[in-house]
């Protein structure tokens, strides 16, 4: 029984730890602002829906320039994951604006997702299955 309660509490903590709230006080008034960090792999439907509904998206193709030139999602910029300056290049992006990333099949973009997260990006969605799934 004790193990079950501990497990439930751990689950609740895990689910609520993704959202952080900040409180500010101004002359007796308190305002709570919810800020969430979302860095994850998403389905093609979720990726397309987010892209269609948001105009401030930074759409990044992490394939090689040759792959990018052979076809890409409209509006995408190319930042090659295999380029030694990949990390420096992504740090030129706005870390607070949403970033959508993809590669050919999902392997490189899965690795790139971790690099984005490690560099402080707060909202990154990676296309499951990559461009082949587009």
């Amino acid at each position: 029984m004790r193990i079950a309660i501990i497990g439930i509490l751990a689950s609740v903590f895990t689910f609520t730890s993704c959202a952080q709230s900040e409180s500010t006080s101004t002359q007796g008034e308190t305002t709570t602002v919810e800020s969430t960090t979302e860095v994850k792999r998403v389905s093609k439907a979720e990726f397309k829906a987010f892209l269609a509904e948001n105009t401030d998206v930074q759409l990044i193709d992490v394939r090689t320039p040759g792959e990018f030139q052979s076809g890409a999602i409209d509006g995408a910029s190319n930042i090659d994951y295999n380029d030694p300056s990949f990390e420096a290049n992504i740090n030129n992006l706005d870390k607070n604006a949403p970033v959508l990333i993809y590669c050919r099949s999902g392997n490189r973009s899965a690795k790139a997702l971790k690099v984005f997260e490690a560099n402080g990006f707060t909202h990154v969605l990676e296309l499951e299955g990559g461009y082949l799934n587009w």
Side-chain angles (χ1 to χ4, degrees):
M1 182 67 160
R2 188 177 282 178
I3 293 173
I5 292 172
I6 292 171
I8 291 170
L9 290 174
S11 296
V12 169
F13 176 74
T14 300
F15 290 122
T16 59
S17 67
C18 291
Q20 303 168 353
S21 60
E22 299 174 16
S23 295
T24 57
S25 273
T26 309
Q27 298 176 344
E29 296 178 24
T30 302
T31 304
T32 301
V33 177
E34 289 291 326
S35 64
T36 59
T37 299
E38 186 173 41
V39 179
K40 65 180 184 177
R41 174 174 275 190
V42 296
S43 68
K44 175 174 70 173
E46 189 174 348
F47 193 90
K48 283 187 172 188
F50 192 89
L51 186 58
E53 295 169 6
N54 295 276
T55 58
D56 63 340
V57 169
Q58 302 170 100
L59 180 59
I60 307 298
D61 183 323
V62 300
R63 298 176 300 161
T64 66
E67 289 173 301
F68 181 76
Q69 289 178 355
S70 70
I73 299 173
D74 287 341
S77 298
N78 183 224
I79 302 178
D80 183 359
Y81 175 76
N82 293 322
D83 187 316
S85 58
F86 175 75
E87 195 167 350
N89 291 335
I90 67 168
N91 279 308
N92 291 322
L93 300 171
D94 181 352
K95 292 184 180 190
N96 296 310
V99 179
L100 274 64
I101 62 172
Y102 68 94
C103 66
R104 187 182 71 80
S105 64
N107 187 32
R108 284 172 284 182
S109 57
K111 293 173 186 175
L113 185 65
K114 293 176 183 178
V115 178
F116 275 92
E117 185 173 31
N119 280 274
F121 286 82
T122 58
H123 194 274
V124 185
L125 301 180
E126 180 224 348
L127 175 60
E128 177 181 44
Y131 190 66
L132 293 175
N133 186 33
W134 183 252

